[in-house]
Amino acid sequence: MASQNMPPVLPHSLLALIAKNVSDRPDFYQTAILPLALLTGVLGFSAFPSSAAWPNGFPRFVAVYLSAWTLCVASDWLQGPYVYALYEAYGFSPHQIAQLFLAGFGAAMFCSSFVGGLADRYGRKRGCIAYCLLCIVSCATKHWKSYSILMVGRITGGFAQSLLFSCFECWMVSEHTVRNQFCSSLLPSMFGMKFSLMYLVAVISGFIAQCGADSSSFAPVRENSLLHVGGNLVPFDMAACVLVVALAIITIFWEENFGHAAQAEGMHFWEGLTSICHSKPLLKLGLATACFESAMYSFVFNWTPALESADEIPPHGVAFALMMMACMCGASVSSMINDTVSDLRRLQLVAGMGFGAFAVAVAALRQGAAHVCFCSFLLFEFCVGIYFPAAGSLKSKLVPERLRVTVYNMYRVPMNAAVVSLLLTNLSTGLCFRFCCALMGILFLTTLGLLSGDEESVPEGSTKEAKACT
């Protein structure tokens, strides 16, 4: 293994001492549940914004948006842990499964290059409705033991993924700043609530999906039939049902909003690309988001093998739940400090802590200290929790409203390209984490001077000077 030849990042004696102390604890992962859950609850309660100062109409706006968003991300979390397991249950080879995953991320990368312009032109609400419909189709295809049908599901799921992390946020920012003209100081609170709920839903969805998968046996509807039901398919059925409810909320309660109305079909793409290339803040912000999110997805593919060894197979569901609690802690801390620490400073904090987390992970892998490695994963997930509210708030200020979905999706192209490259190259876990260290370093350097001296370069139409609270 490549990690065996890596130089240690921490002194041997110190790391060995920490590893022995942590590994001697019985039921390490289960022991961490209660203290981390209590910390998550305390921080979540402390970070929740007071509704006393909310203006008229804001509580309804919060309820309408977060109810649909929460259901949509719940559908995503319900599916996540069972995609690979379902393909295995159908008897597909690891190579075929890798091709299916590659198709999904490739479709997301392709879709990101044009779907943003369509949503800006024809409506962000319609983009969110399209997400629900595409995801329902993707869930339905999982019932067939057919490589071609499953491939269709991966492609529609890839298209849906591009819409989930662009159209929903862009619709919310536009409604907040343009239609309702709520004060700018409420937007970071909205991001904090949004991502805290997302991670809470992740924990709950994991347990619900497990109960659903255990409730019945996985089997064809009749002998030799391609159509299957039960077992690992139940979480996908749950996800489809949740999406139907979300679709109803979006259709009935959401208003439509738009970006620009270019005459030519291709103008949205080129205008978005030109805006990014001609604005140093937008270009640097795109590089910063690509670095962090590429590292995050690299981590997603590698945390499981990093924790497994001949001596121990970790409880994956418990480990996932603990990492989601760490994410929620980070989101809560981000909300608590957003009035005193700028979005840019929070990104720099994330870069520094993320670099340290991956450096410890590299050293722990070399020493075979799986529990120390997991502690470094918790630190990185804490960084993830801080990152998304900070990056979302910064994007809401800098990205022009008329091109918001276009630019958001273009920011995802290099991230998807990095994930596709990762799947194609099959790098070792240790090498991937060293690559993530480098990405955290680039992220920190990119944030230096992101705004200083460049404010005049911010594209016209951005919400940098949003309405202040009165």
Side-chain angles (χ1 to χ4, degrees):
M1 203 166 111
S3 62
Q4 297 298 322
N5 299 319
M6 295 177 187
V9 181
L10 293 179
H12 282 200
S13 57
L14 175 60
L15 188 60
L17 180 63
I18 296 173
K20 183 179 185 307
N21 180 265
V22 175
S23 299
D24 285 344
R25 299 178 184 274
D27 301 323
F28 171 78
Y29 295 96
Q30 289 80 1
T31 303
I33 293 175
L34 182 58
L36 191 53
L38 289 174
L39 178 62
T40 302
V42 170
L43 289 176
F45 180 79
S46 302
F48 194 82
S50 172
S51 60
W54 286 0
N56 291 335
F58 190 70
R60 182 183 183 278
F61 172 63
V62 170
V64 167
Y65 175 69
L66 290 183
S67 59
W69 161 257
T70 301
L71 290 171
C72 287
V73 292
S75 74
D76 197 47
W77 291 120
L78 284 167
Q79 299 174 62
Y82 292 93
V83 178
Y84 194 99
L86 178 64
Y87 295 155
E88 277 189 323
Y90 278 138
F92 292 113
S93 68
H95 178 69
Q96 290 174 310
I97 295 174
Q99 288 179 328
L100 288 167
F101 275 94
L102 189 61
F105 283 102
M109 181 174 64
F110 172 73
C111 184
S112 295
S113 65
F114 67 86
V115 73
L118 294 177
D120 279 331
R121 183 175 182 182
Y122 296 108
R124 284 82 177 262
K125 173 183 173 179
R126 289 188 178 93
C128 297
I129 290 174
Y131 164 78
C132 295
L133 295 175
L134 286 169
C135 208
I136 289 171
V137 170
S138 180
C139 290
T141 62
K142 298 297 189 292
H143 283 271
W144 273 267
K145 185 184 178 180
S146 166
Y147 188 79
S148 57
I149 294 177
L150 291 172
M151 182 64 76
V152 170
R154 286 301 300 172
I155 292 171
T156 55
F159 287 173
Q161 199 71 11
S162 293
L163 296 168
L164 177 62
F165 290 101
S166 57
C167 288
F168 284 84
E169 184 171 318
C170 294
W171 182 90
M172 182 270 288
V173 171
S174 179
E175 292 293 302
H176 185 109
T177 60
V178 179
R179 187 190 304 276
N180 294 296
Q181 296 187 341
F182 294 129
C183 62
S184 58
S185 65
L186 287 174
L187 197 54
S189 297
M190 190 70 171
F191 279 113
M193 288 187 290
K194 170 184 174 178
F195 289 107
S196 293
L197 272 175
M198 184 177 82
Y199 301 127
L200 177 61
V201 165
V203 177
I204 296 172
S205 297
F207 290 114
I208 292 176
Q210 184 69 62
C211 292
D214 294 340
S215 65
S216 59
S217 299
F218 174 75
V221 292
R222 61 179 182 273
E223 190 175 357
N224 298 323
S225 173
L226 293 178
L227 183 64
H228 287 62
V229 294
N232 288 342
L233 284 165
V234 175
F236 295 95
D237 296 334
M238 290 177 171
C241 293
V242 165
L243 285 166
V244 170
V245 179
L247 181 61
I249 294 173
I250 294 169
T251 303
I252 296 170
F253 296 105
W254 285 28
E255 300 288 340
E256 186 61 276
N257 63 55
F258 303 87
H260 68 117
Q263 297 300 313
E265 284 292 336
M267 284 300 293
H268 44 257
F269 174 81
W270 293 112
E271 190 177 353
L273 184 61
T274 300
S275 295
I276 293 173
C277 293
H278 290 177
S279 168
K280 288 184 180 179
L282 285 186
L283 188 60
K284 290 180 179 179
L285 180 58
L287 179 58
T289 57
C291 284
F292 186 87
E293 293 177 28
S294 296
M296 182 183 71
Y297 277 99
S298 298
F299 167 77
V300 166
F301 285 113
N302 284 279
W303 73 264
T304 299
L307 297 180
E308 293 178 347
S309 67
D311 300 325
E312 180 185 33
I313 299 297
H316 295 105
V318 174
F320 175 78
L322 290 170
M323 288 191 288
M324 290 302 100
M325 291 180 196
C327 280
M328 191 172 173
C329 287
S332 297
V333 169
S334 188
S335 296
M336 293 166 68
I337 65 176
N338 68 57
D339 290 335
T340 55
V341 182
S342 69
D343 302 326
L344 192 58
R345 291 286 180 262
R346 279 183 282 165
L347 289 184
Q348 292 172 344
L349 177 65
V350 161
M353 290 194 301
F355 182 90
F358 283 118
V360 171
V362 170
L365 276 175
R366 190 178 186 279
Q367 297 293 317
H371 293 169
V372 174
C373 193
F374 180 71
C375 291
S376 73
F377 292 171
L378 292 180
L379 176 60
F380 177 68
E381 291 289 4
F382 179 79
C383 294
V384 172
I386 295 177
Y387 165 80
F388 277 106
S393 179
L394 197 56
K395 285 189 289 186
S396 73
K397 298 171 185 175
L398 298 183
V399 177
E401 176 60 32
R402 71 183 189 282
L403 296 168
R404 190 171 296 282
V405 187
T406 302
V407 172
Y408 278 32
N409 271 287
M410 292 181 74
Y411 280 170
R412 293 183 63 82
V413 171
M415 181 272 291
N416 282 305
V419 174
V420 169
S421 300
L422 178 69
L423 290 172
L424 289 173
T425 54
N426 195 28
L427 297 178
S428 69
T429 300
L431 194 55
C432 278
F433 288 164
R434 296 184 77 173
F435 174 66
C436 291
C437 274
L439 288 175
M440 292 298 102
I442 296 172
L443 169 61
F444 183 80
L445 294 175
T446 302
T447 59
L448 296 177
L450 175 60
L451 296 178
S452 60
D454 287 329
E455 278 83 354
E456 69 278 3
S457 304
V458 176
E460 181 182 356
S462 69
T463 57
K464 192 170 187 297
E465 297 300 328
K467 179 183 175 183
C469 288
T470 56

